[in-house]
Coordinates of all heavy atoms in Angstrom, one line a residue:
M1 N 0.8 -1.2 0.0 CA 0.0 0.0 0.0 C 0.9 1.3 0.0 O 0.6 2.2 -0.7 CB -0.9 0.0 1.2 CG -1.9 1.1 1.2 SD -2.9 1.0 -0.2 CE -4.5 1.6 0.4
A2 N 1.9 1.2 0.8 CA 2.8 2.4 0.8 C 3.5 2.6 -0.5 O 3.7 3.7 -0.9 CB 3.9 2.2 1.9
D3 N 3.8 1.5 -1.2 CA 4.5 1.7 -2.5 C 3.5 2.3 -3.5 O 4.0 3.2 -4.3 CB 4.9 0.3 -3.1 CG 6.1 -0.3 -2.3 OD1 6.8 0.5 -1.7 OD2 6.2 -1.5 -2.3
K4 N 2.3 2.0 -3.5 CA 1.3 2.6 -4.4 C 1.1 4.1 -4.1 O 1.1 4.9 -5.0 CB -0.1 1.9 -4.2 CG -1.1 2.3 -5.2 CD -2.3 1.4 -5.1 CE -3.4 1.8 -6.1 NZ -4.6 1.0 -5.9
L5 N 1.1 4.5 -2.8 CA 1.0 5.9 -2.5 C 2.3 6.6 -2.9 O 2.2 7.7 -3.4 CB 0.8 6.0 -1.0 CG 0.7 7.4 -0.4 CD1 -0.5 8.1 -1.0 CD2 0.6 7.4 1.1
R6 N 3.4 6.0 -2.7 CA 4.7 6.6 -3.0 C 4.8 6.8 -4.6 O 5.2 7.9 -5.0 CB 5.9 5.8 -2.5 CG 7.2 6.5 -2.7 CD 8.3 5.7 -2.0 NE 8.1 5.2 -0.7 CZ 8.1 3.9 -0.4 NH1 8.3 3.0 -1.2 NH2 7.8 3.6 0.9
T7 N 4.3 5.8 -5.3 CA 4.3 5.9 -6.8 C 3.4 7.0 -7.2 O 3.7 7.8 -8.1 CB 3.9 4.6 -7.4 OG1 4.7 3.5 -6.9 CG2 3.9 4.6 -8.9
Q8 N 2.2 7.1 -6.6 CA 1.3 8.2 -7.0 C 1.8 9.6 -6.7 O 1.7 10.5 -7.5 CB -0.1 8.0 -6.3 CG -1.1 9.0 -6.7 CD -1.5 8.9 -8.1 OE1 -1.5 7.8 -8.7 NE2 -2.0 10.0 -8.7
Q9 N 2.5 9.7 -5.5 CA 3.1 11.0 -5.2 C 4.2 11.4 -6.1 O 4.4 12.5 -6.5 CB 3.6 10.9 -3.7 CG 2.5 10.9 -2.7 CD 3.1 10.7 -1.3 OE1 4.2 10.2 -1.1 NE2 2.2 11.0 -0.3
E10 N 5.0 10.4 -6.5 CA 6.1 10.6 -7.4 C 5.6 11.1 -8.8 O 6.1 12.0 -9.4 CB 7.0 9.4 -7.6 CG 8.1 9.5 -8.6 CD 9.2 10.5 -8.1 OE1 9.2 10.8 -6.9 OE2 10.0 10.9 -8.9
L11 N 4.5 10.4 -9.3 CA 3.9 10.8 -10.5 C 3.3 12.2 -10.5 O 3.5 13.0 -11.4 CB 2.7 9.8 -10.9 CG 2.0 10.1 -12.1 CD1 2.9 10.0 -13.4 CD2 0.8 9.2 -12.3
E12 N 2.7 12.6 -9.4 CA 2.1 14.0 -9.2 C 3.3 15.0 -9.2 O 3.1 16.1 -9.7 CB 1.3 14.1 -8.0 CG 0.0 13.3 -8.1 CD -0.8 13.3 -6.8 OE1 -0.3 13.8 -5.8 OE2 -1.9 12.7 -6.8
R13 N 4.4 14.6 -8.5 CA 5.5 15.6 -8.5 C 6.1 15.8 -9.9 O 6.4 16.9 -10.3 CB 6.6 15.0 -7.5 CG 7.8 15.9 -7.3 CD 8.9 15.3 -6.5 NE 9.6 14.3 -7.2 CZ 10.5 14.5 -8.1 NH1 10.8 15.7 -8.5 NH2 11.1 13.5 -8.7
L14 N 6.2 14.7 -10.6 CA 6.8 14.8 -12.0 C 5.8 15.6 -12.9 O 6.3 16.4 -13.7 CB 7.0 13.4 -12.6 CG 8.2 12.7 -12.1 CD1 8.2 11.3 -12.6 CD2 9.5 13.4 -12.4
Q15 N 4.5 15.4 -12.8 CA 3.6 16.1 -13.6 C 3.6 17.6 -13.2 O 3.4 18.5 -14.1 CB 2.2 15.6 -13.4 CG 2.0 14.2 -14.1 CD 0.7 13.5 -13.7 OE1 0.0 13.9 -12.8 NE2 0.3 12.6 -14.5
A16 N 3.8 18.0 -12.0 CA 3.9 19.4 -11.6 C 5.2 20.0 -12.1 O 5.2 21.2 -12.5 CB 3.8 19.5 -10.1
K17 N 6.3 19.2 -12.1 CA 7.6 19.8 -12.5 C 7.7 19.9 -14.0 O 8.2 20.9 -14.5 CB 8.7 18.9 -12.0 CG 10.0 19.4 -12.2 CD 11.1 18.5 -11.5 CE 12.5 19.1 -11.7 NZ 13.5 18.2 -11.0
Y18 N 7.2 18.9 -14.8 CA 7.4 18.8 -16.2 C 6.0 18.9 -16.9 O 5.2 18.0 -16.7 CB 8.1 17.6 -16.6 CG 9.5 17.4 -16.0 CD1 9.7 16.5 -15.0 CD2 10.5 18.2 -16.4 CE1 11.0 16.3 -14.5 CE2 11.8 18.1 -15.9 CZ 12.0 17.2 -14.9 OH 13.3 17.0 -14.3
I19 N 5.8 19.9 -17.6 CA 4.5 20.1 -18.3 C 4.2 19.0 -19.2 O 3.0 18.6 -19.4 CB 4.4 21.5 -19.0 CG1 4.6 22.6 -17.9 CG2 3.2 21.7 -19.8 CD1 4.7 24.0 -18.5
G20 N 5.1 18.6 -20.0 CA 4.9 17.6 -21.0 C 4.5 16.2 -20.6 O 4.1 15.4 -21.4
T21 N 4.6 15.9 -19.3 CA 4.2 14.6 -18.8 C 2.7 14.4 -18.8 O 2.2 13.3 -18.7 CB 4.8 14.3 -17.4 OG1 4.3 15.3 -16.5 CG2 6.3 14.2 -17.4
G22 N 1.9 15.5 -18.9 CA 0.5 15.4 -18.9 C -0.1 15.1 -17.5 O 0.5 14.9 -16.5
H23 N -1.4 15.1 -17.6 CA -2.2 14.8 -16.4 C -3.6 14.3 -16.9 O -3.8 14.3 -18.1 CB -2.4 16.0 -15.5 CG -2.8 17.2 -16.2 ND1 -4.2 17.5 -16.5 CD2 -2.1 18.3 -16.6 CE1 -4.3 18.6 -17.1 NE2 -3.0 19.2 -17.2
P24 N -4.5 13.9 -16.0 CA -5.8 13.3 -16.5 C -6.6 14.3 -17.3 O -7.4 13.8 -18.2 CB -6.5 12.9 -15.2 CG -5.5 12.8 -14.2 CD -4.3 13.7 -14.6
D25 N -6.4 15.5 -17.2 CA -7.2 16.5 -17.9 C -6.5 17.0 -19.2 O -7.1 17.9 -19.9 CB -7.5 17.7 -17.0 CG -8.4 17.4 -15.8 OD1 -9.2 16.4 -16.0 OD2 -8.2 18.0 -14.8
T26 N -5.4 16.4 -19.6 CA -4.7 16.8 -20.8 C -5.5 16.3 -22.0 O -5.8 15.2 -22.1 CB -3.3 16.2 -20.8 OG1 -2.6 16.7 -19.6 CG2 -2.5 16.6 -22.0
T27 N -5.7 17.3 -22.9 CA -6.4 16.9 -24.1 C -5.4 16.3 -25.1 O -4.2 16.5 -25.0 CB -7.1 18.1 -24.8 OG1 -6.1 19.0 -25.2 CG2 -8.1 18.8 -23.8
S28 N -5.9 15.6 -26.1 CA -5.1 15.1 -27.1 C -4.3 16.2 -27.9 O -3.2 16.0 -28.3 CB -5.8 14.2 -28.1 OG -6.8 14.9 -28.8
W29 N -5.0 17.3 -28.1 CA -4.3 18.4 -28.8 C -3.1 18.9 -28.0 O -2.1 19.2 -28.5 CB -5.3 19.6 -29.1 CG -4.7 20.7 -29.7 CD1 -4.4 20.9 -31.1 CD2 -4.1 21.9 -29.1 NE1 -3.8 22.1 -31.3 CE2 -3.6 22.7 -30.1 CE3 -4.1 22.3 -27.8 CZ2 -3.0 23.9 -29.8 CZ3 -3.5 23.6 -27.5 CH2 -3.0 24.3 -28.5
E30 N -3.3 19.1 -26.7 CA -2.2 19.5 -25.8 C -1.1 18.5 -25.8 O 0.1 18.9 -25.8 CB -2.7 19.8 -24.4 CG -3.6 20.9 -24.2 CD -4.3 21.0 -22.8 OE1 -4.4 19.9 -22.2 OE2 -4.6 22.1 -22.4
W31 N -1.4 17.3 -25.8 CA -0.4 16.2 -25.8 C 0.4 16.3 -27.1 O 1.6 16.2 -27.1 CB -1.1 14.8 -25.6 CG -0.1 13.7 -25.6 CD1 0.2 12.9 -26.7 CD2 0.8 13.3 -24.6 NE1 1.2 12.0 -26.3 CE2 1.5 12.2 -25.1 CE3 1.0 13.8 -23.3 CZ2 2.5 11.6 -24.3 CZ3 1.9 13.1 -22.5 CH2 2.7 12.0 -23.0
R32 N -0.3 16.4 -28.2 CA 0.4 16.4 -29.5 C 1.3 17.7 -29.6 O 2.4 17.6 -30.1 CB -0.6 16.4 -30.7 CG -1.2 15.1 -31.0 CD -2.0 15.1 -32.3 NE -2.8 16.3 -32.4 CZ -4.1 16.3 -32.3 NH1 -4.8 15.2 -32.0 NH2 -4.8 17.5 -32.4
T33 N 0.7 18.8 -29.1 CA 1.5 20.1 -29.1 C 2.8 19.9 -28.3 O 3.9 20.3 -28.8 CB 0.7 21.2 -28.6 OG1 -0.5 21.4 -29.4 CG2 1.4 22.5 -28.6
N34 N 2.7 19.4 -27.2 CA 3.9 19.2 -26.3 C 4.9 18.2 -27.0 O 6.1 18.5 -27.0 CB 3.6 18.6 -25.0 CG 2.9 19.6 -24.1 OD1 3.1 20.8 -24.2 ND2 2.1 19.2 -23.2
L35 N 4.4 17.2 -27.6 CA 5.3 16.2 -28.3 C 6.0 16.8 -29.5 O 7.2 16.7 -29.6 CB 4.4 15.0 -28.7 CG 5.2 13.9 -29.4 CD1 6.0 13.1 -28.4 CD2 4.2 12.9 -30.0
H36 N 5.2 17.6 -30.3 CA 5.8 18.2 -31.5 C 6.9 19.3 -31.0 O 8.0 19.4 -31.6 CB 4.8 18.9 -32.3 CG 4.0 17.9 -33.2 ND1 4.4 17.5 -34.4 CD2 2.8 17.3 -32.9 CE1 3.5 16.6 -34.9 NE2 2.5 16.5 -34.0
R37 N 6.5 20.1 -30.0 CA 7.5 21.1 -29.6 C 8.7 20.5 -29.0 O 9.8 21.0 -29.3 CB 6.8 22.0 -28.5 CG 5.9 23.0 -29.1 CD 5.3 23.9 -28.1 NE 4.4 24.9 -28.8 CZ 3.3 25.4 -28.2 NH1 3.1 25.1 -26.9 NH2 2.6 26.2 -28.8
D38 N 8.6 19.4 -28.3 CA 9.8 18.7 -27.7 C 10.7 18.2 -28.9 O 11.9 18.3 -28.8 CB 9.4 17.6 -26.8 CG 8.9 18.0 -25.5 OD1 9.0 19.2 -25.2 OD2 8.3 17.2 -24.8
T39 N 10.0 17.6 -29.9 CA 10.8 17.1 -31.0 C 11.5 18.2 -31.8 O 12.7 18.1 -32.1 CB 9.8 16.3 -32.0 OG1 9.2 15.3 -31.2 CG2 10.6 15.7 -33.1
F40 N 10.8 19.3 -32.1 CA 11.3 20.4 -32.9 C 12.5 21.0 -32.1 O 13.5 21.4 -32.7 CB 10.3 21.4 -33.2 CG 9.3 21.0 -34.2 CD1 8.0 21.5 -34.2 CD2 9.5 19.9 -35.1 CE1 7.0 21.1 -35.1 CE2 8.6 19.5 -36.0 CZ 7.3 20.1 -36.0
S41 N 12.3 21.2 -30.8 CA 13.4 21.9 -30.0 C 14.6 21.0 -29.9 O 15.7 21.4 -29.9 CB 12.9 22.3 -28.6 OG 12.6 21.1 -27.9
S42 N 14.4 19.7 -29.8 CA 15.5 18.7 -29.8 C 16.3 18.7 -31.1 O 17.5 18.8 -31.1 CB 15.0 17.3 -29.5 OG 16.0 16.4 -29.5
I43 N 15.6 18.8 -32.2 CA 16.3 18.8 -33.5 C 17.0 20.1 -33.7 O 18.2 20.1 -34.1 CB 15.3 18.6 -34.6 CG1 14.7 17.1 -34.6 CG2 15.9 18.8 -36.0 CD1 13.6 16.9 -35.5
A44 N 16.3 21.2 -33.3 CA 17.0 22.5 -33.5 C 18.2 22.7 -32.5 O 19.1 23.4 -32.9 CB 16.0 23.6 -33.3
G45 N 18.1 22.1 -31.4 CA 19.2 22.2 -30.4 C 20.4 21.3 -30.5 O 21.4 21.6 -29.9
H46 N 20.2 20.2 -31.3 CA 21.3 19.3 -31.5 C 21.8 19.4 -32.9 O 21.1 19.0 -33.9 CB 20.9 17.8 -31.2 CG 20.6 17.6 -29.7 ND1 19.3 17.8 -29.2 CD2 21.3 17.2 -28.7 CE1 19.3 17.5 -27.9 NE2 20.6 17.2 -27.6
R47 N 23.0 19.9 -33.0 CA 23.6 20.2 -34.4 C 23.6 19.0 -35.3 O 23.3 19.1 -36.5 CB 24.9 20.8 -34.2 CG 25.5 21.3 -35.5 CD 26.6 22.3 -35.3 NE 27.2 22.7 -36.6 CZ 26.7 23.7 -37.3 NH1 25.8 24.4 -36.8 NH2 27.3 24.0 -38.4
P48 N 24.0 17.8 -34.8 CA 24.0 16.6 -35.8 C 22.6 16.3 -36.3 O 22.5 16.0 -37.5 CB 24.5 15.5 -34.9 CG 25.3 16.1 -33.8 CD 24.6 17.4 -33.5
L49 N 21.6 16.4 -35.5 CA 20.2 16.1 -35.9 C 19.8 17.2 -36.9 O 19.2 16.9 -38.0 CB 19.2 16.1 -34.8 CG 19.3 14.9 -33.9 CD1 18.3 15.1 -32.7 CD2 18.9 13.7 -34.6
L50 N 20.1 18.4 -36.6 CA 19.8 19.6 -37.5 C 20.5 19.4 -38.8 O 19.9 19.6 -39.9 CB 20.2 20.9 -36.8 CG 19.9 22.1 -37.6 CD1 18.3 22.3 -37.7 CD2 20.4 23.4 -36.9
A51 N 21.8 19.0 -38.8 CA 22.5 18.8 -40.0 C 21.9 17.7 -40.9 O 21.8 17.7 -42.1 CB 24.0 18.5 -39.7
Y52 N 21.4 16.6 -40.2 CA 20.8 15.5 -40.9 C 19.5 16.0 -41.6 O 19.3 15.7 -42.8 CB 20.5 14.4 -39.9 CG 19.8 13.2 -40.5 CD1 20.5 12.3 -41.3 CD2 18.4 13.0 -40.3 CE1 19.8 11.2 -41.9 CE2 17.7 12.0 -40.9 CZ 18.4 11.1 -41.7 OH 17.8 10.0 -42.2
V53 N 18.7 16.7 -40.9 CA 17.4 17.2 -41.5 C 17.8 18.2 -42.6 O 17.1 18.2 -43.7 CB 16.6 17.9 -40.4 CG1 15.4 18.6 -41.0 CG2 16.1 16.8 -39.4
A54 N 18.7 19.1 -42.4 CA 19.1 20.0 -43.5 C 19.6 19.3 -44.7 O 19.3 19.7 -45.8 CB 20.2 21.0 -42.9
L55 N 20.4 18.3 -44.5 CA 20.9 17.5 -45.7 C 19.8 16.8 -46.4 O 19.7 16.8 -47.6 CB 21.9 16.5 -45.2 CG 22.5 15.6 -46.3 CD1 23.4 16.5 -47.2 CD2 23.4 14.5 -45.6
A56 N 18.8 16.2 -45.6 CA 17.7 15.5 -46.2 C 16.8 16.5 -47.0 O 16.2 16.1 -48.1 CB 16.9 14.8 -45.2
E57 N 16.7 17.7 -46.5 CA 15.8 18.7 -47.2 C 16.6 19.5 -48.2 O 16.0 20.4 -48.9 CB 15.1 19.6 -46.2 CG 14.1 18.9 -45.3 CD 13.4 19.8 -44.3 OE1 13.8 21.0 -44.3 OE2 12.6 19.3 -43.6
N58 N 17.9 19.4 -48.3 CA 18.8 20.1 -49.1 C 18.6 21.6 -48.9 O 18.4 22.4 -49.8 CB 18.5 19.8 -50.6 CG 19.6 20.3 -51.5 OD1 20.8 20.5 -51.1 ND2 19.3 20.4 -52.8
E59 N 18.6 22.0 -47.6 CA 18.5 23.4 -47.2 C 19.6 23.8 -46.3 O 20.2 22.9 -45.6 CB 17.1 23.6 -46.5 CG 15.9 23.4 -47.3 CD 15.6 24.5 -48.3 OE1 16.2 25.6 -48.2 OE2 14.8 24.3 -49.2
P60 N 19.9 25.1 -46.1 CA 21.0 25.5 -45.2 C 20.5 25.3 -43.7 O 19.3 25.3 -43.4 CB 21.2 27.0 -45.5 CG 20.5 27.3 -46.7 CD 19.5 26.2 -47.0
L61 N 21.5 25.1 -42.9 CA 21.2 24.8 -41.4 C 20.4 25.9 -40.8 O 19.4 25.7 -40.1 CB 22.5 24.7 -40.6 CG 23.3 23.4 -40.8 CD1 24.6 23.5 -40.1 CD2 22.5 22.2 -40.4
V62 N 20.8 27.2 -41.1 CA 20.1 28.3 -40.5 C 18.6 28.4 -40.9 O 17.8 28.7 -40.1 CB 20.8 29.6 -41.0 CG1 20.1 30.8 -40.4 CG2 22.3 29.6 -40.5
K63 N 18.4 28.1 -42.2 CA 17.0 28.1 -42.7 C 16.1 27.0 -42.0 O 15.0 27.2 -41.6 CB 17.0 27.9 -44.2 CG 15.6 28.1 -44.8 CD 15.7 28.1 -46.3 CE 14.3 28.3 -46.9 NZ 14.3 28.2 -48.4
V64 N 16.7 25.8 -41.9 CA 16.0 24.7 -41.3 C 15.7 25.0 -39.8 O 14.6 24.8 -39.3 CB 16.8 23.4 -41.4 CG1 16.1 22.2 -40.6 CG2 16.9 23.0 -42.9
R65 N 16.7 25.6 -39.1 CA 16.5 25.9 -37.7 C 15.4 27.0 -37.5 O 14.5 26.8 -36.7 CB 17.8 26.4 -37.1 CG 17.6 26.9 -35.6 CD 18.8 27.4 -34.9 NE 19.6 26.2 -34.6 CZ 21.0 26.1 -34.8 NH1 21.6 27.1 -35.4 NH2 21.6 25.0 -34.5
A66 N 15.4 28.0 -38.4 CA 14.4 29.0 -38.4 C 13.0 28.4 -38.7 O 12.0 28.7 -38.0 CB 14.7 30.1 -39.4
Q67 N 12.9 27.4 -39.6 CA 11.6 26.8 -39.9 C 11.1 26.0 -38.7 O 9.9 26.0 -38.4 CB 11.8 25.9 -41.1 CG 11.9 26.6 -42.4 CD 12.2 25.6 -43.6 OE1 12.6 24.4 -43.3 NE2 12.1 26.1 -44.8
L68 N 12.0 25.3 -38.0 CA 11.6 24.5 -36.9 C 11.1 25.4 -35.7 O 10.1 25.1 -35.1 CB 12.8 23.6 -36.4 CG 13.2 22.5 -37.3 CD1 14.5 21.8 -36.8 CD2 12.1 21.4 -37.3
I69 N 11.8 26.5 -35.5 CA 11.4 27.4 -34.5 C 10.1 28.0 -34.8 O 9.2 28.1 -33.9 CB 12.5 28.5 -34.2 CG1 13.7 27.8 -33.6 CG2 12.0 29.6 -33.3 CD1 14.9 28.7 -33.5
R70 N 9.8 28.3 -36.1 CA 8.6 28.9 -36.5 C 7.4 27.9 -36.3 O 6.3 28.2 -35.9 CB 8.6 29.3 -38.0 CG 8.0 30.6 -38.2 CD 8.2 31.1 -39.7 NE 9.5 31.6 -39.9 CZ 10.4 31.1 -40.8 NH1 10.0 30.1 -41.5 NH2 11.6 31.6 -40.9
K71 N 7.7 26.6 -36.6 CA 6.7 25.5 -36.4 C 6.3 25.3 -35.0 O 5.2 24.8 -34.7 CB 7.3 24.2 -37.0 CG 7.3 24.1 -38.5 CD 7.8 22.7 -38.8 CE 8.0 22.5 -40.3 NZ 8.5 21.1 -40.6
M72 N 7.2 25.7 -34.1 CA 6.9 25.5 -32.6 C 5.7 26.4 -32.1 O 5.2 26.1 -31.1 CB 8.1 25.7 -31.8 CG 9.1 24.7 -32.0 SD 10.7 25.0 -31.1 CE 10.2 25.1 -29.4
L73 N 5.3 27.4 -32.9 CA 4.2 28.3 -32.4 C 2.9 27.5 -32.3 O 2.2 27.6 -31.3 CB 4.1 29.5 -33.4 CG 5.2 30.5 -33.3 CD1 5.0 31.6 -34.4 CD2 5.3 31.1 -32.0
Q74 N 2.5 26.8 -33.4 CA 1.3 26.0 -33.4 C 1.6 24.7 -34.1 O 1.2 24.5 -35.3 CB 0.1 26.7 -34.0 CG -0.5 27.8 -33.2 CD -1.8 28.3 -33.7 OE1 -2.1 28.2 -34.9 NE2 -2.6 28.8 -32.9
P75 N 2.4 23.8 -33.5 CA 2.8 22.6 -34.2 C 1.7 21.7 -34.6 O 1.7 20.9 -35.6 CB 3.8 21.9 -33.3 CG 3.4 22.5 -31.9 CD 2.9 23.8 -32.1
A76 N 0.6 21.6 -33.8 CA -0.5 20.7 -34.0 C -1.7 21.4 -34.6 O -2.8 21.0 -34.4 CB -0.8 19.9 -32.8
G77 N -1.5 22.6 -35.1 CA -2.6 23.4 -35.7 C -3.3 24.2 -34.6 O -2.9 24.2 -33.4
P78 N -4.3 25.0 -35.0 CA -5.0 25.8 -34.0 C -5.7 25.0 -32.9 O -6.1 23.9 -33.2 CB -6.0 26.6 -34.8 CG -6.2 25.9 -36.1 CD -4.9 25.1 -36.3
P79 N -5.9 25.5 -31.7 CA -6.5 24.7 -30.7 C -8.0 24.5 -31.1 O -8.6 25.3 -31.7 CB -6.4 25.6 -29.4 CG -6.1 26.9 -29.9 CD -5.4 26.8 -31.3
P80 N -8.5 23.3 -30.6 CA -9.9 23.1 -30.9 C -10.8 24.0 -30.1 O -10.4 24.5 -29.0 CB -10.1 21.6 -30.5 CG -9.0 21.4 -29.5 CD -7.9 22.3 -29.9
P81 N -12.1 24.2 -30.5 CA -13.0 25.0 -29.7 C -13.3 24.4 -28.4 O -13.4 23.1 -28.3 CB -14.2 25.2 -30.6 CG -14.1 24.1 -31.6 CD -12.7 23.7 -31.8
R82 N -13.3 25.2 -27.4 CA -13.6 24.6 -26.0 C -15.1 24.5 -25.8 O -15.8 25.3 -26.1 CB -13.0 25.5 -24.9 CG -11.5 25.5 -25.0 CD -10.9 26.0 -23.7 NE -9.4 26.0 -23.8 CZ -8.7 25.3 -23.1 NH1 -9.2 24.4 -22.2 NH2 -7.4 25.3 -23.2
E83 N -15.4 23.3 -25.2 CA -16.8 23.1 -24.8 C -17.0 23.6 -23.3 O -16.1 23.4 -22.5 CB -17.2 21.7 -24.9 CG -17.1 21.1 -26.3 CD -17.4 19.6 -26.3 OE1 -17.8 19.1 -25.3 OE2 -17.1 19.0 -27.4
E84 N -18.0 24.3 -23.1 CA -18.2 24.8 -21.7 C -19.3 24.1 -21.0 O -20.1 23.4 -21.4 CB -18.6 26.3 -21.8 CG -17.5 27.1 -22.5 CD -17.6 28.6 -22.3 OE1 -18.2 28.9 -21.3 OE2 -17.1 29.3 -23.1

């Protein structure tokens, strides 16, 4: 029983610390947005990954990095209308 409580407390602590881990009220759009932003920031921040993408797209590194940063604004499209 104590292990279950400790596990739940650890999960709540991680969810409060890291936004991308989600919580029960996280919508699929929010989850996709976090996932895309994490991916784009990882590619833009790691030069070998950025060089690979730039080579595959036959574009300069600077242009690919700028495109990735621009995509981070709304990576999963506009938010869905909220139901009240």
Side-chain angles (χ1 to χ4, degrees):
M1 186 61 144
D3 290 335
K4 189 175 182 181
L5 179 62
R6 191 174 311 119
T7 303
Q8 184 65 29
Q9 289 173 340
E10 179 67 16
L11 179 62
E12 289 173 1
R13 186 185 69 77
L14 286 173
Q15 288 172 341
K17 186 174 181 181
Y18 301 108
I19 296 171
T21 55
H23 51 79
D25 296 330
T26 301
T27 65
S28 63
W29 179 81
E30 291 172 331
W31 178 260
R32 283 192 318 255
T33 299
N34 287 333
L35 183 70
H36 285 274
R37 283 184 180 150
D38 287 348
T39 302
F40 293 153
S41 66
S42 179
I43 293 170
H46 292 91
R47 188 164 175 89
L49 287 174
L50 184 63
Y52 177 77
V53 172
L55 179 66
E57 293 181 358
N58 196 22
E59 296 286 345
L61 288 173
V62 176
K63 187 174 181 181
V64 173
R65 178 178 283 136
Q67 288 173 346
L68 289 171
I69 292 172
R70 222 176 287 118
K71 284 182 185 179
M72 289 173 62
L73 291 175
Q74 284 191 338
R82 293 197 182 247
E83 298 176 8
E84 298 196 28

